[in-house]
């Protein structure tokens, strides 16, 4: 509609001219008041005065003056010249007339210049001379999809007959745009078919990486280097009543929602109630309506305008729902994937003219979503009954509770005997899903099942499928398969203490081959059990045996047949395991190296554990002296024996976890001095010298105890703090060599810092992403002090290392990371200025990840001198890794 100056409102009657490329429409109104027309001027001259008229910022008609400054060819084909003018233009001016000094129309205001008042108007001659009777489209558009890297130019050359009334024009326009939009996407996908998943680079890692620990949905995206990867969602959750929650995470051009409802399982009506869903989702989406100067949060949006069921390429059933937001002239489009405990959903805002395009883009993005399915046992029972919403991959999954809980999928079945874990209505199942190769395509199928006793998840059993990666896959994937297939640690069935009150045991079972008595060479399954409470390792072994017996692989694996191996008996003797662990420990000597004393892990193991066992066998005493000597020895009981073994093995393990990090950070010192132009003979700080002395004293005077690890960590921290403090004091070299940034800057900063120094904005990316993997693995930490040149737009144009970490890779990482930061430029006398500022970037580990295996348990039967207590004594219950 059009409103006149007198307040009268007129409806648009019909569209009589239209050009998409020139961005104008000519229309009639009803009733036609036949207003007097403005005169036109087809031949304005450069430097003539002009007047820009329009409803600037939607606040009323304003007139602003300027000059006709130049003519600029339109960018696509140069078929006409834009009028460029210096009169101010604002959002709301579009469609208003550009007048000459005599009040004659010379053009139609079209676009505002982003930086200066060199705005654009379409010459009025283009409108006057345009043919009536045709709506014309002659455009080149760049087609892209947010989850892939490729783009393609698409040409729209089309038209339809005019005049049309407003409703008919809308339908014709929308139909043409939707048709070409679909064709453009089809061309784009066809052009990049060979680089898309599952054919593109990185696809093998996605297919063969077993994500047993991932519980969150993710989105399959193509990285800038062309590699495909699963970007795991990072949700910000809001709590809902009865232990529910709703969270939002970023997805390409959309929001990814995770809705976990309350534990009510049989609420089938919930999945048909679009209003109930959007009212819960709104708590994460934070929909707001502007009322005057107040931004009011919308808490209820109402039922969806439309709802259909849509199946993606993997046969997953999504509910496609559309909600209207009239006050924004937008829709919320949602693709909702039902899960046992709620929904995983893709949500996007779309402007009214682009509703079809918004739906299509969201359905393409849905094919990229990966998610496990999770819920309580009652929720799973109810979910599997909702056949119309089940994904194809779960149509043949069944769950039963007699005589014990058991799950059957087309590939495997597993039960949970009550002797292994007692389950109830609060117990949960997580089915992990994955891409399974089938010829040249992949299917989406169940690849693992995890049963959790309760929400605390301290006790669980799980099974997961691992196919053999092709020879072209990364070595990490091939090695992981080989370790599982060979039942190498940690899949050797040996209980491992995960915490003070939890043991884990893992092993492998084979998939049947094509003939009886054979197994597949290309598919194996891993099994894991964790049992909490004060349990004995040998009981954990028996539970593991029960778990193996309750699991069966149904699929016949691909690949050649091999001889079926015998699943080892988990209840092997601890004496044998002690020797095995001794050999295992020796394997790590070369990887870990020697500590500050020049000793190895295996030597400490022999001197402090093996020697202790021999001392007991020979004299019935525990040696308290360092290196297993008999000084201060005392007579022992079985409880003493097991307790001392536990204390020493735990302390040794904690200490030797620290050793690689300690040694690597100590070795950085000479390079650090050289990088920062400090004398090679620069002494260590007093804090470092004191920490070294304390550690050496502790190691030489006491058998393994917690203080070993504490002192080692204190020394590591002292090395790191010393370098950080020194790097921060390095004076800027006047001849410092700056390196120009290698990526484009983001948009100019909206505000200055208000000071004569720039200010850094909160980072969008984490420095963790740039931490070099090799240095992180070695435990090397450090700080880099940069000098940054920040121009008046807030762009960091160049950087130089003032204070080096001493590690080239960390310095380089800092030079890459600063380019992700945004800055507010410096200001002086009210003007933004170029300035230089220092920036310290710290690479620090949040957790230690050592190379040391779990130290072996004490022998199940202590040496002769320590025997005598009946079974079931406290000593037996203190067996420990």
């Amino acid at each position: 509609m059009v409103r006149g100056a007198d307040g009268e409102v007129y409806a648009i009657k019909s569209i009589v001219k239209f050009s998409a490329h020139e961005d104008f429409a000519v229309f009639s109104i009803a009733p036609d008041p036949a207003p007097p027309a403005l005169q036109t001027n087809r031949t304005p001259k450069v430097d003539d005065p002009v007047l820009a008229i329009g409803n600037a910022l939607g606040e009323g008609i304003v007139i602003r003056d300027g000059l006709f400054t130049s003519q600029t060819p339109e960018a696509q084909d140069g078929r006409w010249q834009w009028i460029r003018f210096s009169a101010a233009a604002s959002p709301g001016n579009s469609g208003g007339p550009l007048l000459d000094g005599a009040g004659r129309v010379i053009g139609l205001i079209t676009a505002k210049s982003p930086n200066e008042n060199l705005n654009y108007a379409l010459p009025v001659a283009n409108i006057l001379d345009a043919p009536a009777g045709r709506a014309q489209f002659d455009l080149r558009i760049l087609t892209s999809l947010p989850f892939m890297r490729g783009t393609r130019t698409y040409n729209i050359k089309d038209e339809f007959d005019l005049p049309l009334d407003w409703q008919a024009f809308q339908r014709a326009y929308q139909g043409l745009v939707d048709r070409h939009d679909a064709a453009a996407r089809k061309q784009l996908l066809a052009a990049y078919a060979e680089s898309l998943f599952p054919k593109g680079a990185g696809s093998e890692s996605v297919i063969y990486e077993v994500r047993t620990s991932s519980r969150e949905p993710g989105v399959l995206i193509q990285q800038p280097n062309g590699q495909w990867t699963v970007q795991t969602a990072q949700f910000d959750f809001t709590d809902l009543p009865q232990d529910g929650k709703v969270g939002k995470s970023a997805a390409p051009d959309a929001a990814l929602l995770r809705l976990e409802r309350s534990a009510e399982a049989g609420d089938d009506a919930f999945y048909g109630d679009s209003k109930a869903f959007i009212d819960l989702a709104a708590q994460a989406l934070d929909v707001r309506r502007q009322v005057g100067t107040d931004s009011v949060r919308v808490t209820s949006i109402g039922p969806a305008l439309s709802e259909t069921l849509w199946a993606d390429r993997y046969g997953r059933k999504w509910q496609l729902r559309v909600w209207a937001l009239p006050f924004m002239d937008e829709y919320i489009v949602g693709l909702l994937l039902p899960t046992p405990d709620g929904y995983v959903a893709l949500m996007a805002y779309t402007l009214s003219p682009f509703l079809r395009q918004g739906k299509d883009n969201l359905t393409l993005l849905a094919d990229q979503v990966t998610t496990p399915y999770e819920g309580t046992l009652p929720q799973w029972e109810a979910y599997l009954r909702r056949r119309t919403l089940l994904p194809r991959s779960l149509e043949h999954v069944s769950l039963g509770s007699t005589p014990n809980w058991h799950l059957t999928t087309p590939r495997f079945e597993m039960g949970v005997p009550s002797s292994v874990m007692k389950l109830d209505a609060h117990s949960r199942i997580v089915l992990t899903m994955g891409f399974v190769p089938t010829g040249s395509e992949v299917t989406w199928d169940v690849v693992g099942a995890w049963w959790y006793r309760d929400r605390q998840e301290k006790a669980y059993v799980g099974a997961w499928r691992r196919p053999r990666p092709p020879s072209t896959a990364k070595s990490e994937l091939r090695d992981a398969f080989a370790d599982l297939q060979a039942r190498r640690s940690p899949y050797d069935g040996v209980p491992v203490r995960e915490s003070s009150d939890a043991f884990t045991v893992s092993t492998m079972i084979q998939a049947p081959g094509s003939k009886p008595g054979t197994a597949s060479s290309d598919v194996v399954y891993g099994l894991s059990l964790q049992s909490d409470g004060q349990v004995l390792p040998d009981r954990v072994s028996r539970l593991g045996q029960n778990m193996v017996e309750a699991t069966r692989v149904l699929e016949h694996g691909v690949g050649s047949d091999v001889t079926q191996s015998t699943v080892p008996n988990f209840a092997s003797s601890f004496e044998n395991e002690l020797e095995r662990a001794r050999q295992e420990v020796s394997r790590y000597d070369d990887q870990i190296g020697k500590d500050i004393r020049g000793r190895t892990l295996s030597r400490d193991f022999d001197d402090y554990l093996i020697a202790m066992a021999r001392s007991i066998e020979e004299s019935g005493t525990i040696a308290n002296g360092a290196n297993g000597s008999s000084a201060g020895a005392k007579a022992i009981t079985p409880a003493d024996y097991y307790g001392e073994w536990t204390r020493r093995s735990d302390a040794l393990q904690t200490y030797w976890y620290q050793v690689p990090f300690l040694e690597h950070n100590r070795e950085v010192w000479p390079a650090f001095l050289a990088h920062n132009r400090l004398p090679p003979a620069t002494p260590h700080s007093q804090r470092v010298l004191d920490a070294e002395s304390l550690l050496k004293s502790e190691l030489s005077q006491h058998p393994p105890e917690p203080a070993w690890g504490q002192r080692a960590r204190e020394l590591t921290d002292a090395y790191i703090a010393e370098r950080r403090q020194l790097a921060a004091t390095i004076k800027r070299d006047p001849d410092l060599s700056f390196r120009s940034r290698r990526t484009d800057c983001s948009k100019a900063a909206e505000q200055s810092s208000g000071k004569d120094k720039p200010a850094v904005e909160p980072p969008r990316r984490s420095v963790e992403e740039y931490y070099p993997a090799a240095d992180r693995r070695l435990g090397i930490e450090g700080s880099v002090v940069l000098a940054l040149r920040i121009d008046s737009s807030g762009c960091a144009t160049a950087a130089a290392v003032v204070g080096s970490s001493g590690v080239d890779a960390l310095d380089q990482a800092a030079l890459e990371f600063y380019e992700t930061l945004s800055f507010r430029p410096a200001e002086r006398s009210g003007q933004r200025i170029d300035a230089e500022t220092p920036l310290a970037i710290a690479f620090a580990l949040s957790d230690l990840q050592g190379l040391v295996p779990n130290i072996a348990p004490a022998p199940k039967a202590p040496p002769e001198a320590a025997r005598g207590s009946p079974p079931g004594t406290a000593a037996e219950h203190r067996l420990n890794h």
Side-chain angles (χ1 to χ4, degrees):
M1 296 184 175
V2 178
R3 183 172 59 227
D6 58 0
E8 190 72 23
V9 175
Y10 302 90
I12 293 176
K13 180 181 179 182
S14 61
I15 308 298
V16 296
K17 290 184 180 183
F18 176 80
S19 172
H21 187 28
E22 294 164 295
D23 194 21
F24 76 84
V26 177
F27 57 89
S28 61
I29 58 177
D32 185 357
L38 293 173
Q39 293 182 351
T40 60
N41 177 5
R42 291 171 171 267
T43 58
K45 300 290 191 298
V46 173
D47 289 335
D48 281 355
V50 296
L51 301 170
I53 302 178
N55 187 13
L57 302 175
E59 296 175 353
I61 302 299
V62 298
I63 302 174
R64 290 178 282 189
D65 64 339
L67 296 176
F68 178 178
T69 57
S70 67
Q71 291 180 308
T72 301
E74 63 89 18
Q76 179 170 299
D77 301 300
R79 285 178 291 175
W80 74 83
Q81 303 276 336
W82 290 110
I83 294 175
R84 303 294 299 277
F85 62 95
S86 63
S90 306
N93 273 105
S94 296
L98 183 68
L99 308 181
D100 64 12
R104 296 172 297 182
V105 179
I106 63 172
L108 191 72
I109 299 172
T110 302
K112 172 179 170 29
S113 172
N115 296 318
E116 301 179 53
N117 286 333
L118 292 175
N119 305 311
Y120 295 80
L122 180 71
V124 71
N126 288 45
I127 302 171
L128 298 174
D129 296 341
R134 308 298 293 167
Q136 297 181 320
F137 296 78
D138 186 358
L139 301 168
R140 283 200 294 269
I141 59 174
L142 190 66
T143 309
S144 64
L145 289 171
F147 55 83
M148 59 177 283
R149 305 306 303 179
T151 59
R152 185 175 176 85
T153 300
Y154 178 83
N155 296 312
I156 300 179
K157 275 189 173 292
D158 211 334
E159 59 183 16
F160 55 80
D161 292 336
L162 296 177
L164 291 174
D165 65 43
W166 175 241
Q167 298 295 335
F169 177 83
Q170 279 189 304
R171 290 192 295 271
Y173 178 94
Q174 196 68 58
L176 183 147
V177 169
D178 290 346
R179 184 171 69 253
H180 284 285
D181 187 61
R185 284 195 301 272
K186 184 177 180 181
Q187 281 189 11
L188 175 69
L189 293 172
Y192 290 92
E194 294 303 312
S195 64
L196 297 179
F197 181 82
K199 296 179 180 179
S203 297
E204 289 176 342
S205 295
V206 174
I207 293 171
Y208 293 98
E209 183 71 58
V210 178
R211 294 173 178 82
T212 56
S213 60
S214 177
R215 297 279 293 279
E216 300 295 355
V219 180
L220 186 61
I221 63 171
Q222 195 175 25
Q223 301 281 16
N225 62 2
Q227 296 279 323
W228 287 95
T229 186
V230 174
Q231 179 178 288
T232 302
Q234 303 293 324
F235 289 105
D236 292 325
F237 279 104
T238 299
D239 290 335
L240 301 175
Q242 296 179 298
D243 294 328
K245 59 183 180 179
V246 59
K248 182 181 75 170
S249 178
D253 284 1
L256 186 64
L257 255 65
R258 177 76 174 97
L259 173 60
E260 296 181 27
R261 59 199 184 94
S262 66
E264 297 175 10
D267 186 10
D268 294 338
F270 174 78
Y271 291 94
D273 191 341
S274 61
K275 181 180 183 303
F277 170 83
I278 197 63
D279 286 353
L280 294 175
Q283 299 191 44
L285 293 174
D286 194 25
V287 182
R288 293 185 178 269
R289 179 173 184 173
Q290 199 70 26
V291 180
T293 59
D294 196 5
S295 178
V296 180
R297 185 171 186 175
V298 178
T299 59
S300 183
I301 295 174
L305 293 181
S306 64
E307 178 173 348
T308 56
L309 200 62
W310 178 79
D312 65 18
R313 65 187 294 185
Y314 303 113
R316 298 178 294 194
K317 313 289 179 57
W318 300 73
Q319 294 169 310
L320 177 56
R321 292 172 174 172
V322 178
W323 293 268
L325 297 176
F327 57 88
M328 296 172 63
D329 193 25
E330 288 186 341
Y331 295 99
I332 294 178
V333 182
L335 265 181
L336 285 58
L337 182 67
T339 62
D341 64 349
Y343 278 106
V344 170
L346 288 168
M347 310 292 291
Y349 294 96
T350 180
L351 291 169
S352 297
F354 307 113
L355 178 58
R356 169 53 57 189
Q357 181 179 354
K359 290 179 180 179
D360 291 344
N361 286 342
L362 218 55
T363 55
L364 285 173
L365 182 59
D367 285 337
Q368 308 300 116
V369 172
T370 69
T371 184
Y373 289 85
E374 180 173 351
T376 64
L377 295 176
Q379 285 175 339
W380 268 106
E381 290 178 310
Y383 178 72
L384 293 173
R385 291 194 297 266
R386 300 185 191 105
R387 307 301 296 179
T388 57
L389 297 179
L390 275 185
R392 184 168 59 223
S393 54
L394 299 185
E395 289 175 348
H396 301 290
V397 171
S398 62
L399 179 67
S401 59
T402 305
N404 295 302
W405 283 100
H406 57 275
L407 176 78
T408 302
T409 77
R411 297 186 182 276
F412 64 93
E413 64 180 11
M414 66 182 303
V416 183
S418 57
S419 60
V420 173
M421 193 166 64
K422 294 186 183 301
L423 304 175
D424 57 28
H426 300 289
S427 301
R428 304 177 68 80
I429 300 177
V430 178
L431 292 189
T432 54
M433 311 296 293
F435 300 102
V436 179
T438 55
S440 60
E441 298 296 323
V442 294
T443 59
W444 179 253
D445 209 349
V446 181
V447 294
W450 297 82
W451 303 68
Y452 295 92
R453 186 186 60 203
D454 49 42
R455 276 188 173 272
Q456 291 186 328
E457 300 184 358
K458 292 181 179 179
Y460 61 79
V461 295
W464 70 95
R465 180 182 190 269
R466 185 180 279 277
R468 180 191 296 275
S471 59
T472 53
K474 294 189 300 184
S475 61
E476 292 91 335
L477 297 177
R478 303 197 310 273
D479 293 344
F481 176 85
D483 286 346
L484 184 58
Q485 187 179 50
R487 295 195 180 95
R488 288 194 282 264
S489 176
Y491 310 114
D492 51 7
V494 177
V496 175
R497 181 174 286 284
E498 293 293 333
S499 65
S500 60
D501 65 345
F503 276 101
T504 299
V505 61
S506 301
T507 190
M508 177 276 291
I509 59 175
Q510 295 170 301
S514 61
K515 300 175 183 178
T518 65
S520 167
S521 61
D522 286 353
V523 176
V524 295
Y525 278 73
L527 297 177
S528 285
L529 173 146
Q530 179 165 302
S531 183
D532 64 344
Q534 296 299 328
V535 295
L536 292 169
D538 55 350
R539 169 163 169 71
V540 177
S541 296
R542 289 195 297 272
L543 297 181
Q545 197 73 36
N546 293 341
M547 178 186 68
V548 170
E549 294 166 358
T551 306
R552 186 161 66 100
V553 178
L554 302 178
E555 68 170 310
H556 288 265
V558 295
S560 58
D561 291 342
V562 295
T563 303
Q564 199 167 37
S565 63
T566 302
V567 178
N569 185 348
F570 287 178
S572 58
S573 70
F574 282 96
E575 292 86 349
N576 292 337
E577 287 307 320
L578 180 59
E579 180 58 30
R580 182 203 64 78
R582 185 178 183 181
Q583 296 175 6
E584 183 73 16
V585 165
S586 299
R587 290 177 52 235
Y588 286 85
D589 284 348
D590 289 339
Q591 296 181 48
I592 300 173
K594 296 181 179 180
D595 70 351
I596 198 169
R597 302 166 296 170
R599 291 172 62 90
T600 61
L601 167 62
S602 62
R603 182 175 173 186
D604 273 356
F605 184 83
D606 286 344
D607 286 352
Y608 288 111
L609 292 176
I610 301 300
M612 181 185 73
R614 289 174 179 163
S615 172
I616 295 171
E617 187 173 10
E618 294 171 1
S619 64
T621 60
I622 289 182
N624 284 339
N627 302 329
S629 70
S630 59
K634 65 176 182 177
I636 57 97
T637 66
D640 294 328
Y641 169 70
Y642 286 116
E644 185 65 16
W645 183 286
T646 298
R647 284 189 291 274
R648 292 190 179 194
S649 61
D650 284 353
L652 272 183
Q653 182 169 299
T654 300
Y655 169 69
W656 280 95
Y657 264 128
Q658 309 285 338
V659 167
F661 304 136
L662 172 61
E663 293 302 309
H664 292 140
N665 278 285
R666 182 168 64 160
E667 292 165 0
V668 171
W669 181 246
F672 173 81
L673 297 176
H675 278 62
N676 289 293
R677 303 168 299 283
L678 296 172
T682 301
H684 282 294
S685 67
Q686 191 60 45
R687 176 182 172 183
V688 166
L689 297 176
D690 291 344
E692 286 180 343
S693 177
L694 284 172
L695 175 59
K696 291 176 180 178
S697 174
E698 189 66 47
L699 296 175
S700 64
Q701 296 181 21
H702 302 98
E705 56 186 20
W708 281 31
Q710 294 169 10
R711 298 301 185 206
R713 184 61 211 181
E714 289 169 3
L715 179 54
T716 302
D717 290 343
Y719 286 139
I720 295 166
E722 177 182 55
R723 296 198 307 274
R724 182 181 297 122
Q725 292 163 5
L726 270 177
T729 63
I730 302 297
K731 293 185 178 179
R732 184 194 185 289
D733 188 339
D735 299 325
L736 199 61
S737 176
F738 280 78
R739 191 184 85 174
S740 299
R741 74 179 292 132
R742 299 179 179 180
T743 59
D744 294 335
C745 281
S746 57
K747 63 180 181 180
E750 296 181 357
Q751 297 179 332
S752 71
S753 67
K755 302 175 182 178
D756 60 0
K757 286 288 185 181
V760 64
E761 298 281 10
R764 302 185 304 274
R765 304 280 292 274
S766 169
V767 72
E768 288 287 321
E769 300 176 41
Y770 292 81
Y771 207 144
D775 296 306
R776 183 199 299 272
R777 187 171 59 252
L778 296 175
I780 296 175
E781 303 181 37
S783 294
V784 185
V785 179
L786 300 179
L788 301 181
R789 289 175 175 170
I790 314 296
D791 69 14
S792 59
S793 72
C795 176
T797 59
V801 176
V802 176
S804 170
S805 66
V807 181
D808 290 336
L810 293 183
D811 291 354
Q812 181 62 32
L815 288 170
E816 294 175 1
F817 173 69
Y818 91 85
E819 296 191 18
T820 69
L821 299 174
S822 298
F823 296 85
R824 281 177 284 147
E827 178 184 311
R828 186 178 299 147
S829 302
Q831 298 294 319
R832 299 185 180 192
I833 60 171
D834 297 349
E836 188 175 301
T837 188
L839 179 70
I841 299 174
F843 295 91
L845 293 171
S846 58
D847 190 18
L848 293 180
Q849 301 172 7
L851 298 169
V852 183
N854 282 327
I855 304 298
K860 185 177 180 181
E864 197 66 34
R867 295 179 186 167
S869 299
T873 62
E876 185 173 352
H877 287 277
R878 291 171 65 185
L879 278 168
N880 192 351
H881 276 67

